[in-house]
Amino acid sequence: MAVIFIYYRYVIIPMRKKHLEEERNLRLEQAELMALFAELSPDPVFRFEPDGRIILANNSAHKIFPHKNLLGEQSKKILPFLESYDFKEIINHEKVISFTALLENKYFQFIIEGVKKFSVCQVYGRDITELKNTEKNLKEALLRAEDAKRLKE
């Protein structure tokens, strides 16, 4: 009986503690990697509270607004096109809204997603300026082609 107690006390318990510690470290590492994923995204990522206060902005978001302190600022002050959105409603109904906006002379497609569990809005942006310019050039080329066709007739 004493051998079992000693084995349990000096082998099993330390192994359990080590396992729990390794598991906790793995979870922390995974959380850090997930945070790094958003932070290093080449596109802007924001997180808002229900009142619209910015609580997270990744490096790309800071590059778009290099002379502004984003954290703690009201999102509608930094991103005026958000004025028509009710973040509390988006969060409570877990809505997903997609729209395009002109920001600092670039076109961005934004997706706003409410996360009720954490009472936040996640906002993901994507620079689509090149796509918009290509679309504009194609429309102009189409108009020129139609004009040339009319002149031929």
Side-chain angles (χ1 to χ4, degrees), residues 55-105:
I55 57 174
L56 181 137
N58 72 348
N59 287 338
S60 296
H62 285 283
K63 286 178 185 172
I64 295 170
F65 302 102
H67 305 296
K68 295 182 181 176
N69 184 14
L70 299 176
L71 299 182
E73 195 65 62
Q74 281 296 317
S75 58
K76 294 175 182 179
K77 182 178 174 187
I78 303 293
L79 307 166
F81 50 81
L82 296 175
E83 195 65 44
S84 62
Y85 296 103
D86 180 359
F87 297 131
K88 288 178 185 172
E89 181 182 329
I90 292 170
I91 292 168
N92 289 334
H93 296 98
E94 295 190 322
K95 291 184 177 181
V96 177
I97 300 169
S98 179
F99 62 94
T100 302
L102 184 62
L103 183 63
E104 302 290 320
N105 298 319

Side-chain angles (χ1 to χ4, degrees), residues 10-32:
Y10 294 103
V11 176
I12 301 295
I13 291 176
M15 286 176 66
R16 278 189 185 167
K17 285 182 181 179
K18 184 179 179 187
H19 173 72
L20 290 174
E21 185 177 326
E22 287 174 354
E23 192 174 273
R24 191 183 86 234
N25 288 340
L26 189 60
R27 284 188 187 136
L28 284 172
E29 185 178 307
Q30 193 68 15
E32 288 174 7

